[in-house]
Amino acid sequence: MSTENEDNPVPPAPSVPPVPPATPAASPQPAASDGDAPTAPIPPAPQGTPAAAAGDPYGPPPQAPAGDPYGPPPQSPEGSWPPPPPATPSYADAGAGSGVGWGSSYDQAHQAYQTNQAYQQPQGAPQKGSGRGGLIAAVLVAALVAGGLGGGLGYTLAKNNDNTGSTTVSASTDAGAAQVKRAAGTIAAVAAKSLPSTVTIEAEGTNGEGGTGTGFVFDTQGHIVTNNHVVADALDGGKLTATFPNGKKYDAEVVGHAQGYDVAVIKLKNPPSDLNPLTLGNSDNVAVGDETIAIGAPFGLSNTVTTGIISAKNRPVASSDGSSDSKASYMSALQTDASINPGNSGGPLLDASGAVIGINSAIQSASSGGLGSTGQSGSIGLGFAIPINQAKYVAQQLIKTGKPVYAKIGASVSLEDSSNGAQITDSGSGGSAAVESGGPADKAGLKPGDVITKLDDSVIDSGPTLIGEIWTHKPGDKIQITYKRGGSEHTVTLTLGARVGDN
């Protein structure tokens, strides 16, 4: 499984979409094309029709009453007038409403004018954008303007016909969105409570390279929990900042990091006095199908909220950031289909009550990014989070000593892909003994060549799976190991030892 690639620089992005500048109402006439989108030429007006009045693209017939620039529809040969409306893209339909929006007919425009004399035609076509991106942006803005205009005209028509006996009920105009009360436990309520305690982390190395990730407030002293691979670039003299949703940015420093667990703790310099730590849940009680809420900064888009469910538990995952010198991290992960992308790393995975049940850490991605790819793969609905029970223990150790503490059995196992179990190798790293003398495995009678198939009730199919399961426990825990030797199966109980640090 692959983690998000935090090494690639991610351009900063606003927390909320920018508000478009005031734009005149869209003209019924199609704007000039920039060459990227096909347009149909407007048929010429029939012979004998006077030139259009200023501001009226349709033009009145000779008998048009004074004050009405539209007038009745001109009588003309079939197919010559009025011109066909421009084709409406699918993304411009939503919210367009009725009135002078894209796709409206001459009769609709004429009726709208008679109803609302304040309607004014724009003085000129909007400026062309640069390339296809500019065209799409202009189309989206035009669709929004058309939608707003249709809503305004619809309201005017309804107001002028209040005596028709309509049973339509409208919300009070003085009730703003901020006054809407949302019940506790709804996604909106959970997001509103949790967002202020989630930060966007920017890590920059001494070489100027870095990336963006996420973290959340762990305690009132200013400690922030995140992933090790989020802060890795800022180690050894780099720069680290944490920005809250209200825009306040704080310098930070790494308190401790655990590469194997992929957990890190940073601390804000001069933290504010009103920090609200997120409530930590119990990841052991999570069930498949439970609702999940993920908060993060995917591709630099801070304060993004996505939802899904727990799609699996105890998923063995070995992940890395893809760099040449990266070492793997191992976890027995919570799997979720909530959308997680590069930049979500280190952010909280919440349950329906808003309690943290995991730290978003890794995703399984498709090999190519597809249309519009920036070189980074995105979510395909397979995200993995470190269970919070494990992450809490690791974070507390890092705050207390600055170093991670790993549980161990004292034996080296093969890391090759396998479905038969975790085999103890013939020798350890650097030529050391595969089974540590006097260690937990040695005391339990394990030997090189033994194949471990179960740890307690968890099936072990490979070395990485065994490591991930061992690291869900603490040093001193007693576990049962089931292994095969010479075709026979054996079960022993051993007490886990401890290893301090990542080396």
Side-chain angles (χ1 to χ4, degrees):
M1 304 302 176
S2 59
T3 59
E4 305 90 352
N5 185 355
E6 304 296 349
D7 292 329
N8 291 335
V10 180
S15 300
V16 296
V19 179
T23 308
S27 168
Q29 294 279 21
S33 170
D34 65 355
D36 287 332
T39 55
I42 299 176
Q47 294 296 326
T49 302
D56 184 358
Y58 294 99
Q63 296 81 13
D68 184 353
Y70 288 91
Q75 302 299 321
S76 58
E78 182 178 356
S80 62
W81 190 267
T88 305
S90 59
Y91 45 77
D93 289 340
S98 61
V100 192
W102 283 11
S104 62
S105 68
Y106 174 92
D107 290 335
Q108 289 174 314
H110 177 245
Q111 180 183 10
Y113 176 84
Q114 289 180 326
T115 305
N116 186 357
Q117 293 296 331
Y119 174 78
Q120 295 292 330
Q121 292 290 338
Q123 296 303 314
Q127 295 294 324
K128 293 192 293 182
S130 59
R132 183 170 298 275
L135 174 62
I136 293 176
V139 167
L140 292 175
V141 171
L144 292 173
V145 171
L149 177 61
L153 292 177
Y155 172 79
T156 302
L157 288 171
K159 183 176 181 181
N160 291 342
N161 292 277
D162 283 343
N163 57 354
T164 60
S166 172
T167 59
T168 301
V169 179
S170 300
S172 174
T173 56
D174 60 355
Q179 296 174 306
V180 177
K181 293 183 179 179
R182 293 172 173 84
T186 62
I187 294 172
V190 170
K193 182 179 179 181
S194 304
L195 274 168
S197 298
T198 307
V199 299
T200 299
I201 298 173
E202 295 181 18
E204 182 178 328
T206 54
N207 58 359
E209 296 181 357
T212 302
T214 309
F216 62 91
V217 177
F218 188 68
D219 59 28
T220 57
Q221 285 71 49
H223 291 109
I224 306 292
V225 172
T226 185
N227 281 143
N228 173 76
H229 73 263
V230 169
V231 304
D233 286 322
L235 300 175
D236 302 324
K239 182 180 179 181
L240 200 64
T241 62
T243 305
F244 285 83
N246 61 9
K248 293 184 178 180
K249 179 179 288 190
Y250 297 85
D251 290 332
E253 60 184 354
V254 177
V255 172
H257 61 102
Q259 181 273 322
Y261 289 122
D262 198 17
V263 174
V265 175
I266 67 175
K267 187 174 183 180
L268 305 178
K269 297 179 181 178
N270 302 315
S273 59
D274 58 349
L275 289 175
N276 293 312
L278 290 182
T279 302
L280 304 184
N282 185 346
S283 51
D284 290 342
N285 292 339
V286 171
V288 173
D290 282 350
E291 290 181 315
T292 57
I293 302 169
I295 301 179
F299 297 105
L301 301 174
S302 302
N303 316 316
T304 295
V305 178
T306 56
T307 63
I309 62 168
I310 293 292
S311 40
K313 291 182 62 177
N314 303 317
R315 182 71 75 193
V317 175
S319 63
S320 70
D321 61 13
S323 60
S324 58
D325 58 349
S326 173
K327 296 181 180 179
S329 299
Y330 302 94
M331 69 184 91
S332 182
L334 297 175
Q335 181 180 318
T336 180
D337 65 349
S339 183
I340 297 174
N341 289 287
N344 274 104
S345 283
L349 183 69
L350 310 172
D351 63 15
S353 71
V356 181
I357 55 174
I359 301 177
N360 301 318
S361 181
I363 59 173
Q364 177 67 44
S365 297
S367 57
S368 62
L371 181 64
S373 173
T374 61
Q376 290 177 306
S377 298
S379 173
I380 58 172
L382 294 173
F384 305 98
I386 304 166
I388 194 59
N389 289 7
Q390 177 183 358
K392 176 183 177 181
Y393 163 74
V394 176
Q396 290 172 337
Q397 289 293 325
L398 293 176
I399 293 172
K400 185 184 299 184
T401 67
K403 295 182 180 180
V405 179
Y406 297 90
K408 70 172 186 176
I409 64 171
S412 296
V413 295
S414 172
L415 298 180
E416 295 179 0
D417 291 338
S418 171
S419 60
N420 300 322
Q423 183 174 19
I424 299 178
T425 57
D426 293 331
S427 62
S429 60
S432 61
V435 178
E436 177 186 331
S437 178
D442 185 34
K443 292 179 179 180
L446 295 174
K447 298 180 179 180
D450 290 345
V451 179
I452 299 173
T453 58
K454 291 183 69 176
L455 190 157
D456 291 334
D457 293 329
S458 299
V459 175
I460 303 301
D461 59 4
S462 65
T465 300
L466 176 64
I467 296 172
E469 284 296 326
I470 291 173
W471 286 355
T472 63
H473 295 78
K474 301 174 184 178
D477 287 352
K478 292 184 180 297
I479 61 172
Q480 278 193 333
I481 292 290
T482 301
Y483 66 95
K484 291 181 179 180
R485 179 190 297 169
S488 300
E489 188 173 83
H490 310 272
T491 299
V492 295
T493 299
L494 59 80
T495 302
L496 293 172
R499 173 171 65 85
V500 178
D502 279 315
N503 294 327

